[in-house]
Amino acid sequence: MNEAIKISKLKKRYGAHVVLDGLDFCVRQGEIFALLGANGAGKTTSLECIEGLRKYDSGSITVNGRTGIQLQSASLPEHIKPLEAVRLFAKWNKMTPDKAMLDALGIDALAKKQYYQLSTGQKRRLHLALALTRNPDILFLDEPTAGLDVEGRLSLHEQIRQLKAAGKTIVLASHDMAEVENLCDRIAILSGGRIAFIGTVRQLNETVGKHYNITIQTERRSETYESDNIEETLLSLLMQYRETGEHITDIQINRGSLEQHFMKIAKGEA
Amino acid sequence: MGAFLYGVFLQWKLDIRSKTLIITCYMVPLLFFAIMGGIFTSIMPEARDTLIQSMTVFGVTMGVFIGLPPSLVEIYGSDMKRVYKANGVPLSLGLVLTNFSAYIHLLIMSIILYIAAPLAFHAKLPENPALYFGSLAMFIAVSLSIADIIGLTVKDPAKTSMVSMIVFLPSILLSGIMFPIELLPEAFETAGKLFPASWGYRLMTAGTFQFENLLPLLIILILAVCVCVILLRRAAQD
């Protein structure tokens, strides 16, 4: 598979603080790729360097294709109507707005509303439409579903899947682990300005190991235990509860979430 | 060119939807004209000779310094500039479109005053209309350039109106439109020369073209445009 983006030895510092310390990774054409990282890990800085919105100190970035960018924090004149904004940006880029894309994002339905009257979800859809006006090959989405309700989130996920099906390469930064698990082909976890992990969600689970959460509910309390050896831990816990005479009303066992794996890697525990 | 014209047209519509600009560019100047025009001409009949010029200087100064900077702060003090940048739109576009639109609004307001003043208060029309409108065009451009600096410098919308007032009030009080500058203390008279309103008023009231009234406006315009270019470059690097 061809590379849509190639990052090599990327370095960036703010004063004495090193944010990106020789970042190396690539994004393949047609995949949904997620950048994850704790606050201050360099996620936004690396994304902005790739997008061309921020200068970097050294290294190289190769982007093969036209880009579209949806910023996490974005605004427009409060009295502008969605279609007017789309037309302005499209005209400036010598493009014609794609009617099908506008329909899919529900922009036509917002024709009479002004920007300040739009909900958070509607604004996000509008900014996604603006990012798509240049018919990009590569789409950058920074926290695309932040602040959206469940319905808005699912709707946007579906639109992102459709964009992938249309052949777009999508790079997204997200804190929503469920979103990353559901949408992404590959993920990269940033820690200390470097890539701590890169691969698929399955590979991440395999890397971190079999981690389980055991929640035991009694009539008086609910306790959650973490375990890397489910059989031993469960037997031991059942014995403890039997000795104390507490009556167990429910037991739930689940695999650790991507978030837990991510936190382990980010903290350097894995 | 099509994109630029669409941008100007769109900004014009946005300004009309925004109540702030309608109030500062039309309602307040025309209300001020209706009240002060009546007062001036009744207590000082000779005020009719310069009523169009004085009311126009007030209206332009009001519209420019109170109306324009908030629109610029909305663009350059917020994430909007990042949206421009991210979508391949030059950062200067917001400034250019806002200025074009404001220019047209202020010109319309000035024409309304030009037509209404003789009808309402028997105001005297300028002897040389071409010179008058040429001077007006220059005065609006210079005033806009100063307002641009305020809009590009101040990031906090709450502080914008305070900073604008620092320029607006002395412009009105020291320019000679309220009372002859010869009556002011010398220090105030000198201070008044720092503001484009003083030179704009002189240029518009002069019956003949006087380069010494145009030169200060040209110098202010060139300096202000240079400062705006620097501020825009700085904004692009943020």
Side-chain angles (χ1 to χ4, degrees), chain B:
Chain B
M1 194 61 186
F4 180 75
L5 289 177
Y6 178 76
V8 172
F9 173 65
L10 181 59
Q11 186 63 46
W12 161 266
K13 282 206 295 186
L14 296 185
D15 287 342
I16 288 173
R17 281 179 206 154
S18 158
K19 307 287 181 287
T20 313
L21 208 113
I22 295 293
I23 291 168
T24 54
C25 275
Y26 294 99
M27 289 179 69
V28 174
L30 294 176
L31 189 66
F32 185 82
F33 159 71
I35 296 169
M36 295 308 283
I39 295 171
F40 277 8
T41 51
S42 63
I43 58 173
M44 289 186 298
E46 66 273 20
R48 290 191 178 92
D49 295 346
T50 54
L51 189 65
I52 292 175
Q53 292 88 338
S54 58
M55 292 297 114
T56 303
V57 166
F58 174 84
V60 169
T61 307
M62 171 88 195
V64 162
F65 291 114
I66 310 297
L68 184 67
S71 303
L72 294 176
V73 173
E74 190 187 10
I75 298 171
Y76 295 97
S78 72
D79 293 317
M80 213 181 295
K81 68 178 178 188
R82 284 163 53 82
V83 176
Y84 275 58
K85 222 171 156 182
N87 289 286
V89 177
L91 209 53
S92 56
L93 185 72
L95 184 76
V96 174
L97 295 183
T98 317
N99 274 262
F100 257 86
S101 176
Y103 199 99
I104 296 166
H105 282 292
L106 293 166
L107 213 52
I108 290 173
M109 182 271 296
S110 302
I111 291 169
I112 293 172
L113 287 174
Y114 188 86
I115 295 167
L119 298 174
F121 303 114
H122 304 291
K124 189 183 166 192
L125 284 170
E127 288 170 22
N128 185 343
L131 177 65
Y132 171 77
F133 280 106
S135 307
L136 173 64
M138 183 67 183
F139 171 57
I140 295 175
V142 176
S143 301
L144 284 171
S145 68
I146 303 288
D148 288 341
I149 294 175
I150 298 173
L152 291 173
T153 312
V154 183
K155 306 288 179 202
D156 182 356
K159 287 180 185 163
T160 314
S161 52
M162 286 189 282
V163 176
S164 294
M165 278 296 174
I166 292 171
V167 184
F168 172 69
L169 286 176
S171 292
I172 296 305
L173 296 172
L174 307 179
S175 61
I177 67 164
M178 305 290 279
F179 22 74
I181 45 172
E182 299 80 38
L183 300 179
L184 296 173
E186 200 179 331
F188 284 5
E189 191 183 335
T190 308
K193 290 176 183 171
L194 295 172
F195 299 94
S198 304
W199 299 105
Y201 183 62
R202 286 184 197 195
L203 205 59
M204 287 193 283
T205 49
T208 53
F209 176 71
Q210 290 167 359
F211 185 71
E212 60 267 29
N213 289 335
L214 179 66
L215 185 64
L217 288 176
L218 277 174
I219 292 170
I220 295 171
L221 180 66
I222 291 166
L223 289 175
V225 168
C226 291
V227 173
C228 286
V229 170
I230 292 167
L231 290 171
L232 272 178
R233 283 189 182 161
R234 197 177 290 172
Q237 288 167 356
D238 279 351

